[in-house]
């Protein structure tokens, strides 16, 4: 490795992250947290509906045979 290559490598590793990079790692805002919570609740609600439908899959419909009187 030549002298110029060593200097370039040292310059790259010694530089501090830019201000923009530091800001991107900041804590989420209140609105962002609310949005995440709302999306999570909606996803859980959808999952509950799908699980409920899947647990009843293959069963006859609840109203099968109703309304027909034999006799």
């Amino acid at each position: 490795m030549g002298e110029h290559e060593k200097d370039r490598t040292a310059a790259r590793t010694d530089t501090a992250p830019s201000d923009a990079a530091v800001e991107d790692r900041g804590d989420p805002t209140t609105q962002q947290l609310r949005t995440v919570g709302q999306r999570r609740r909606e996803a859980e609600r959808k999952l509950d509906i799908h699980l409920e439908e899947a647990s009843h899959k293959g069963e006859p419909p609840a109203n099968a045979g109703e309304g027909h009187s034999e006799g």
Side-chain angles (χ1 to χ4, degrees):
M1 190 185 290
E3 286 297 317
H4 296 292
E5 291 173 349
K6 287 181 185 176
D7 291 340
R8 278 187 270 157
T9 304
R12 268 183 288 178
T13 57
D14 292 341
T15 58
S18 67
D19 289 339
V22 172
E23 289 177 16
D24 289 342
R25 292 183 295 173
D27 293 332
T29 65
T30 303
Q31 184 59 42
Q32 288 171 325
L33 291 173
R34 287 181 181 151
T35 301
V36 168
Q38 181 180 2
R39 289 179 181 171
R40 181 176 294 141
R41 285 188 298 276
E42 290 172 359
E44 289 174 350
R45 189 169 35 243
K46 278 181 156 180
L47 178 61
D48 286 341
I49 291 169
H50 288 294
L51 290 174
E52 187 69 27
E53 290 173 352
S55 69
H56 295 297
K57 191 173 184 178
E59 295 179 5
N63 62 357
E66 290 182 12
H68 298 335
S69 59
E70 296 182 26

